[in-house]
Amino acid sequence: MTGIVALYIFMLAAFTGYEIIAKVPVILHTPLMSGSNFVHGIVLVGAMVALGSAVTPLEKTIGFVGVLLAAGNAVGGYVVTERMLEMFKSSGARRTGGGH
Amino acid sequence: MEGTLQTPGIFSPRLLIDISYFLTAVLFILGLKRMSSPVTARSGIIWAGAGMVVATLVSFLYPGMSNYELIIAAIVVGSLIAWWSGKRVAMTDMPQMIALYNGMGGGAAAAIAAVELYRAAFANAAGTPAAHSNVVMTLAVVGGIIGAISFSGSLIAWAKLQGVLNKTVRFAGQKFVNGLLFLGSLAVGAIVVLHHGADPMHVTLIFALALLFGIAMTLPIGGADMPVVISLYNALTGLAVAFEGFVLDNAAMIIAGTVVGSAGTLLTQLMAKAMNRSLANVLFSDFGSGGGGAATAVSGSMKPIEASDVGVMMAFASKVIVVPGYGMAVAQAQHKVWEMCQLLIDRGVTVKFAIHPVAGRMPGHMNVLLAEAGVPYDLIADLDEINAEFETADVALIIGANDVVNPVARTDKSSPIYGMPILNADKAKNVIVIKRGQGAGFSGIENALFFLDNTRMLYGDGQKAAAELVNAIKAAG
């Protein structure tokens, strides 16, 4: 893509990120931070391309570490976010499910 | 005319990749949007997760890729370790775990930059400089520096919150040294950009200086401020990922990285605001160190009370507000506290939980801990919603919280926490404080609330005290 198109994408994505978070209640700050932490795990696809194009042993080593770390970011971020969000229930859900 | 129009096949890998990345970006944004409401939050992470799976699978189809066995091995090993650690981490340790995963993302972004820059540097050293534009090289360098800072800084943040690293290192001229490291990294980066990659030594130096800066910048920051710093590194990693996305011409990385970068920046500001601090204050002052300030001495005495008396008091109250703090979670008392509250609710008592933005280790952390114990989120109120209600409460039960209910924040200008918004627990008719001993809190500041006439101290371990209260309420008949 051309530089100016990339700049437009950057600008629009920045506003999107701002708008998504702007009205979030404090109750969800931690899960949301964890969720956004998961989203930048997309670095995995870049690391895959970097390792896929690596030729010298040095490039392969750095690329391998990159993919390893990126996979850790993505999977770890997903697991902890999912665990946290799984626990949020309203009192309505408690009454039907908990027998109180 | 013939042969000039080269329409790619419908199923050319490149087109499939582009469409899949587009889908991934949409799923990420919708997923994050769903995560911003408690009702839809659970499905949000699943949507985003689906996007990640699509993007990862389709990336194997990139034209001209090799080293598949290395890629698969790295993904499998990295995923297994992260899966295992993510499943077993305790909810109380969540903030440092997020820091750790975030640091890994920053490290991965730095690794991408390193591969690109070393390739350019070796080509240049061999006399065959690659034809990278200066813009692409600059983005690779800046993204690499940011990623490296986020990597080493997040690791220090993790080590501090985990208790592996207890020291808060400070020395004279520290800010000067830190500034030198950062500017040095940028300067060497500029040399690399201007000289088509320069040579491998220069590239190594960029990353070495950036890594050192991340460590040096995080070391002086105290534990109480760490969540803000983790959130900042989260935003920085997003930015680094976006920059490397430009380098690799990868739209999914640009969009996801930028969204996280801007969302993370806003989240960092919200957190700093909730703690009544500016970001600059967090990064460059030394408040959260546990040192505390020499605030005015508090006069009066702490008056103890027995659990049985508290049980009766609450059983016949019409409204009880529970103010939980990190101490409750450390004592693993949240389950007993909720059991106690359920008894009260069944007796017709109105029970609410008042959550300060920085209760727990980061904003929203306490909500997670209460949710883990089964407390419905609609019984949990934040500071703005609940503060007016304390005046109508018969009992405010403080368990494991300290600074967030300290009235000196309203009155004592010499106190380090002056101006911080607090929960007005002191306005309740009766204040009960469950506390292990008589010491000061996380920040080392004496709490005036404990000495008020309407305050009684229930000494003991949080879980044990809550269990005694459960029995006392049952006995109240």
Side-chain angles (χ1 to χ4, degrees):
Chain A
M1 70 200 89
T2 61
I4 194 68
V5 172
L7 209 58
Y8 275 113
I9 295 179
F10 187 75
M11 183 267 292
L12 291 172
F15 278 112
T16 308
Y18 191 91
E19 283 303 314
I20 289 174
I21 301 290
K23 296 164 213 98
V24 172
V26 176
I27 161 174
L28 282 170
H29 275 181
T30 293
L32 203 64
M33 180 164 139
S34 179
S36 63
N37 179 32
F38 161 72
V39 165
H40 66 53
I42 191 68
V43 71
L44 175 60
V45 303
M48 286 169 71
V49 172
L51 176 54
S53 69
V55 181
T56 65
L58 178 70
E59 286 173 9
K60 283 185 187 172
T61 309
I62 299 173
F64 185 83
V65 173
V67 175
L68 192 80
L69 291 174
N73 180 187
V75 173
Y78 182 86
V79 171
V80 296
T81 308
E82 212 256 348
R83 271 185 62 193
M84 279 192 270
L85 291 177
E86 197 180 17
M87 300 180 311
F88 283 96
K89 293 182 181 75
S90 73
S91 47
R94 180 176 76 90
R95 277 189 205 100
T96 50
H100 277 280
Chain B
M1 283 295 282
E2 64 269 36
T4 50
L5 281 174
Q6 291 267 322
T7 16
I10 300 280
F11 295 109
S12 81
R14 188 65 236 192
L15 188 66
L16 185 64
I17 288 171
D18 283 340
I19 292 172
S20 304
Y21 282 178
F22 179 79
L23 185 69
T24 298
V26 172
L27 284 171
F28 277 172
I29 291 170
L30 289 178
L32 279 174
K33 181 73 201 156
R34 294 184 79 82
M35 267 186 254
S36 58
S37 154
V39 184
T40 55
R42 177 85 199 284
S43 65
I45 184 66
I46 295 173
W47 286 40
M52 188 72 78
V53 171
V54 169
T56 307
L57 288 180
V58 85
S59 295
F60 279 103
L61 302 177
Y62 246 94
M65 292 250 289
S66 52
N67 301 325
Y68 285 110
E69 64 288 346
L70 283 179
I71 295 176
I72 292 171
I75 290 179
V76 169
V77 173
S79 302
L80 283 179
I81 295 173
W83 184 273
W84 176 78
S85 59
K87 279 285 178 197
R88 64 190 288 277
V89 60
M91 282 297 153
T92 42
D93 294 338
M94 211 46 104
Q96 55 262 47
M97 215 59 206
I98 296 173
L100 196 59
Y101 295 138
N102 174 56
M104 294 168 103
I112 295 171
V115 169
E116 296 294 323
L117 292 175
Y118 274 120
R119 185 176 297 149
F122 275 108
N124 186 52
T128 52
H132 284 304
S133 78
N134 281 357
V135 176
V136 169
M137 287 290 280
T138 305
L139 289 170
V141 167
V142 174
I145 291 175
I146 297 175
I149 293 171
S150 175
F151 175 67
S152 62
S154 296
L155 287 188
I156 298 294
W158 170 81
K160 283 199 155 196
L161 286 179
Q162 190 69 26
V164 177
L165 185 74
N166 289 318
K167 264 189 282 184
T168 300
V169 184
R170 289 206 190 92
F171 53 86
Q174 192 164 22
K175 277 165 207 160
F176 179 72
V177 174
N178 288 2
L180 222 54
L181 286 171
F182 181 59
L183 292 177
S185 183
L186 282 181
V188 182
I191 294 173
V192 169
V193 172
L194 294 175
H195 294 87
H196 312 286
D199 59 85
M201 263 302 294
H202 280 92
V203 175
T204 308
L205 199 57
I206 299 177
F207 289 105
L209 289 172
L211 288 171
L212 277 177
F213 174 69
I215 296 171
M217 183 181 142
T218 320
L219 275 177
I221 298 170
D225 283 338
M226 224 30 112
V228 180
V229 177
I230 295 172
S231 179
L232 176 70
Y233 285 143
N234 185 40
L236 285 181
T237 301
L239 208 57
V241 171
F243 284 172
E244 298 311 322
F246 281 114
V247 174
L248 297 176
D249 204 17
N250 185 318
M253 281 172 70
I254 298 176
I255 293 172
T258 310
V259 166
V260 174
S262 95
T265 306
L266 181 60
L267 206 53
T268 309
Q269 282 169 346
L270 290 175
M271 284 191 188
K273 211 173 103 192
M275 298 170 78
N276 194 37
R277 318 274 310 280
S278 73
L279 193 55
N281 193 242
V282 169
L283 293 179
F284 304 119
S285 86
D286 48 10
F287 168 78
S289 61
T296 327
V298 184
S299 61
S301 62
M302 298 194 200
K303 296 160 281 289
I305 191 170
E306 293 299 318
S308 51
D309 297 333
V310 179
V312 172
M313 188 192 281
M314 291 198 297
F316 294 99
S318 65
K319 186 174 192 175
V320 173
I321 298 178
V322 181
V323 182
Y326 189 66
M328 179 194 74
V330 172
Q332 284 296 315
Q334 59 269 42
H335 295 92
K336 273 289 165 201
V337 169
W338 175 228
E339 187 185 337
M340 176 196 86
C341 292
Q342 282 172 304
L343 287 174
L344 292 174
I345 291 168
D346 290 343
R347 292 179 65 98
V349 181
T350 305
V351 178
K352 284 197 175 167
F353 287 84
I355 311 289
H356 190 273
V358 293
R361 281 285 169 88
M362 57 170 69
H365 188 203
M366 185 53 65
N367 305 75
V368 172
L369 295 169
L370 288 176
E372 187 191 18
V375 181
Y377 61 78
D378 43 3
L379 293 190
I380 302 173
D382 65 26
L383 188 128
D384 295 331
E385 297 166 338
I386 198 85
N387 252 350
E389 289 195 35
F390 276 105
E391 283 170 38
T392 62
D394 301 294
V395 181
L397 181 71
I398 321 284
I399 173 161
N402 193 338
D403 294 331
V404 299
V405 288
N406 192 345
V408 300
R410 284 199 299 260
T411 53
D412 184 356
K413 286 205 170 79
S414 66
S415 171
I417 60 168
Y418 177 74
M420 179 172 91
I422 59 159
L423 290 163
N424 297 333
D426 54 323
K427 302 269 171 74
K429 291 185 192 98
N430 298 284
V431 181
I432 305 295
V433 179
I434 299 179
K435 202 167 178 306
R436 195 182 274 278
Q438 302 200 346
F442 199 34
S443 65
I445 302 161
E446 199 71 75
N447 194 334
L449 176 75
F450 301 167
F451 300 90
L452 293 178
D453 287 337
N454 56 340
T455 302
R456 294 291 179 274
M457 308 296 290
L458 178 56
Y459 290 114
D461 170 75
Q463 189 171 354
K464 215 167 128 264
E468 285 170 10
L469 289 178
V470 167
N471 292 332
I473 293 166
K474 280 180 182 159

